[in-house]
Amino acid sequence: QITLKESGPTQVKPTQTLTLTCIFSGFSLSTNEVGVGWIRQPPGKALEWLALIYWDDDKRYSPSLKSRLTITKDTSKNQVVLTVTNMDPMDTATYYCAHSTLGGYNHWGQGTLVTVSS
Amino acid sequence: QSVLTQPPSVSGAPGQRVTISCTGSRSNIGAGYNVHWYQQLPGTAPKLLIYANTNRPSGVPDRFSGSKSGTSASLAITGLQAEDEADYYCQSYDSLSASGVFGGGTKLTVL
C-alpha cells in the first residue's frame, strides 16, 4: 500500500524560505520509472504543477518558479524535500506530494495548507 | 493562464453523458505525451481517474473514459450520478518547459 504525507510549517512570513517534507511508504524511489512530485493549489483555484524528482535524480521544475524551487530526495529515508525561497502571500496554498509513474500521479498525500502572512 | 485549456464548467442531468475537453498544443498533447485525468471532490486530494490517455486504474467505474486526438484530449462520463459532482483536471508533459502541466480545471455540476 502506497502512502505519502506532507509535513512542514503551516505558516511562514513573506520573504522566508518554506521547507516541506514528503514522507512516503510502499514504494522505493530507487525503482526505475518512479518519481515523486509536488503540486499546489491556492484556495479556490486550480492545481499547479511545481516540481518532480525521478528515481535517477533527474529533476524538473515549473518554469515560472524554477529560480525559487529546489527538490531533493533521500532514498534511504523514503523522503522528498521541496524548498521554496522568498515566500509571498500569493504562495498561500495547499501543497501536495504525489507518487508518479508513466507521468501521471496515482497516489497523493492529503496535502498541507501553508499560509504566507506577516 | 494554463498551458492546457479546459472549459470552466459543464453540467448534466443524472443519467446523461458529459464530456470535458482538454486542449493543448504541439509541445504537449500534440507531441504525443500522455494525458492523465483527475477527479477532485470538495475538500479532498485529487484522485487519478484516467492515466495514459485511455486507461482506468482499478476501482474506477467504466462510466469514465478518456480519449486523445491531435492536440486535444477528452474525458467522457456516462450515466451521470450525483456523486460525480467534482472538479476535473487534465495533466500532461510539455517539452518546451520540460515540466508537467495541468489544465485549469472543470467544475462538473449534476443538475
Side-chain angles (χ1 to χ4, degrees), chain A residues 15-41:
Chain A
T15 76
Q16 287 186 333
T17 293
L18 171 68
T19 299
L20 293 172
T21 302
C22 177
I23 301 173
F24 58 85
S25 63
F27 68 95
S28 172
L29 200 38
S30 59
T31 301
N32 278 14
E33 308 299 334
V34 170
V36 171
W38 286 92
I39 300 102
R40 73 179 180 181
Q41 185 172 37

Side-chain angles (χ1 to χ4, degrees), chain A residues 41 43-45 47 94 96 110, chain B residues 38-47 81-89 106-110:
Chain A
Q41 185 172 37
K45 296 190 176 181
L47 299 173
T94 295
Y96 297 98
Q110 65 188 23
Chain B
Y38 303 87
Q39 177 193 61
Q40 187 177 32
L41 298 171
T44 68
K47 167 191 169 184
Q81 299 179 4
E83 66 203 49
D84 298 333
E85 192 160 284
D87 294 322
Y88 292 84
Y89 294 89
T106 298
K107 182 174 182 60
L108 169 62
T109 300
V110 180

